[in-house]
């Protein structure tokens, strides 16, 4: 049997050990905050299965605990994600509370949720506080984007990007940073990042007059809705094989979980948002951000799971 077939199904921890590597923490410099699973879209790749029917949302009380944690530990960056953060009623309270506590406050957006009066209020707040925006846009064309996100999403996304450019986001040399994140619309791996960025920049500028700063391309993580798609379409084994065959030991040093804490809408702590989706708590048991009196020490082990292969394929997920 060839080597790649023998290694299919090799647990991630064993793969690391074979390369003389271990998944352990370094200094914790970033906090990722998942404010809830409510979303106005139901994207096919979503590892959290967020959507309109999900009611999980961070309360103001938990937000106050997150702000307290940010004051105690002064993270270099804080990254708000969801679901669609815009749907959480007290998001402005959280953004105002966190902005003075970090050099880099990031909010992720699906763009569609920036529509309407509420979206405009949030945009003004983001601009005032120089929040970094990371917008997900699966592809640089309507067909692939709507295959993953639903009909009508493309025009709304383009309108939101044009509005962001009007406000100064994403323009060359602007301090208002606008980055895009794309991911494949099926059971395949993403194109190399630089090549994809050049194509997105060319297409969006030429056809829609839109500019942005950086594009990040990531492999879909075989969890949640995407895993069910893989199972339904008979692609699960092939996709897992692609991830394991593409394992890049050089990507391990830069994995985000090594320097980041992740917290959910209830205040529970994890190593990353993918472990959050799987209920794999930081340190193996539920702990709450309000009780965090010190950050995990460098060298602390991180639970290795087989979905970690999605972070180490190609240039990695950092
Ligand atoms: S899923 Fe990725 S980010 Fe999370 S622990 Fe595994 S390697 Fe780290």
């Amino acid at each position: 049997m060839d080597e790649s077939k023998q290694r299919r199904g090799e647990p991630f921890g064993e793969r690391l050990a074979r390369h003389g590597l271990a998944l352990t923490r370094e200094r914790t410099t970033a906090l990722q905050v998942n404010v809830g699973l409510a979303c106005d879209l139901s994207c096919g790749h979503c590892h959290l299965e967020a959507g309109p029917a999900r009611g999980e949302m961070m309360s103001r009380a938990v937000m106050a605990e997150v702000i307290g944690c940010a004051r105690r530990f002064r993270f270099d960056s804080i990254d708000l994600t969801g679901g669609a953060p815009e749907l959480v009623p007290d998001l402005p309270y959280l953004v105002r509370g966190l902005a003075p506590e970090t050099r880099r406050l990031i909010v992720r957006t699906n763009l569609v949720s920036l529509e309407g009066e509420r979206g405009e209020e949030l945009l003004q707040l983001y601009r005032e506080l120089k929040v970094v925006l990371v917008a997900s846009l699966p592809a640089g064309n309507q067909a692939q984007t709507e295959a993953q996100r639903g009909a009508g999403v493309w025009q709304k996304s383009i309108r939101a990007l044009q509005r962001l450019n009007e406000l100064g986001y994403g323009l060359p040399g602007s301090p208002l940073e606008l980055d895009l994140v794309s991911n494949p619309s099926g059971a395949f791996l993403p194109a190399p990042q630089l090549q994809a960025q050049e194509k997105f920049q060319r297409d969006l500028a030429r056809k829609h007059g839109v500019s942005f700063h950086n594009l990040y391309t990531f492999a879909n993580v075989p969890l949640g809705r995407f895993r069910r798609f893989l199972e339904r379409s008979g692609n699960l084994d092939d996709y897992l094989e692609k991830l394991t065959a593409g394992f890049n030991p050089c990507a391990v040093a830069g994995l985000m979980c090594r320097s980041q804490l992740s917290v959910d809408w209830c205040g529970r702590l994890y190593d990353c948002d993918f472990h959050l989706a799987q209920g794999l708590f930081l340190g193996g048991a539920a702990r709450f951000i309000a009780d965090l009196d010190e950050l995990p020490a460098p060298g602390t082990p991180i639970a290795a799971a087989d979905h970690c292969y999605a972070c180490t394929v190609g240039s990695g997920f950092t």
Side-chain angles (χ1 to χ4, degrees), residues 18-19 55 59 74 118 124 145 187 295:
R18 200 152 52 71
H19 287 269
S59 66
R74 301 293 305 178
R118 158 87 170 173
Q124 298 299 337
T145 297
L295 295 175

Side-chain angles (χ1 to χ4, degrees), residues 156-224:
K156 290 180 183 178
S157 302
I158 294 298
R159 275 202 302 274
L161 287 168
Q162 289 168 337
R163 179 68 187 131
L164 284 163
N165 282 172
E166 277 171 21
L167 292 169
Y169 269 99
L171 302 179
S174 169
L176 295 170
E177 184 174 334
L178 172 62
D179 299 325
L180 300 187
V181 174
S182 87
N183 56 286
S185 55
F188 48 91
L189 300 179
Q193 192 155 284
L194 198 54
Q195 187 186 320
Q197 175 170 300
E198 283 167 6
K199 180 155 173 41
F200 264 63
Q201 278 173 331
R202 210 173 39 241
D203 290 352
L204 290 178
R206 186 165 53 85
K207 295 181 192 153
H208 306 287
V210 161
S211 71
F212 62 93
H213 290 128
N214 306 294
L215 174 78
Y216 302 108
T217 58
F218 294 125
N220 289 316
V221 179
L223 294 175

Side-chain angles (χ1 to χ4, degrees), residues 36-84:
L37 299 184
C39 189
D40 34 15
L41 303 177
S42 298
C43 299
H45 71 284
C46 186
H47 62 279
L48 286 159
E49 306 199 61
R54 303 299 297 258
E56 296 90 336
M57 276 193 202
M58 187 173 277
S59 66
R60 203 172 173 110
V62 174
M63 288 179 182
E65 292 168 2
V66 171
I67 295 166
C69 174
R71 264 188 210 132
R72 288 198 298 286
F73 298 117
R74 301 293 305 178
F75 297 96
D76 290 347
S77 69
I78 301 179
D79 176 356
L80 307 189
T81 188

Side-chain angles (χ1 to χ4, degrees), residues 248-263:
N248 173 10
C250 299
V252 174
L255 289 172
M256 61 184 170
C257 51
R258 307 193 72 182
S259 57
Q260 173 193 283
L261 276 184
S262 186
V263 59

Side-chain angles (χ1 to χ4, degrees), residues 12 23 255-257 271-272 274-275 302-303 307-308 311:
F12 185 72
L23 194 54
L255 289 172
M256 61 184 170
C257 51
D271 290 300
C272 72
F274 306 122
H275 278 20
I302 297 168
H307 55 258
C308 296
C311 300

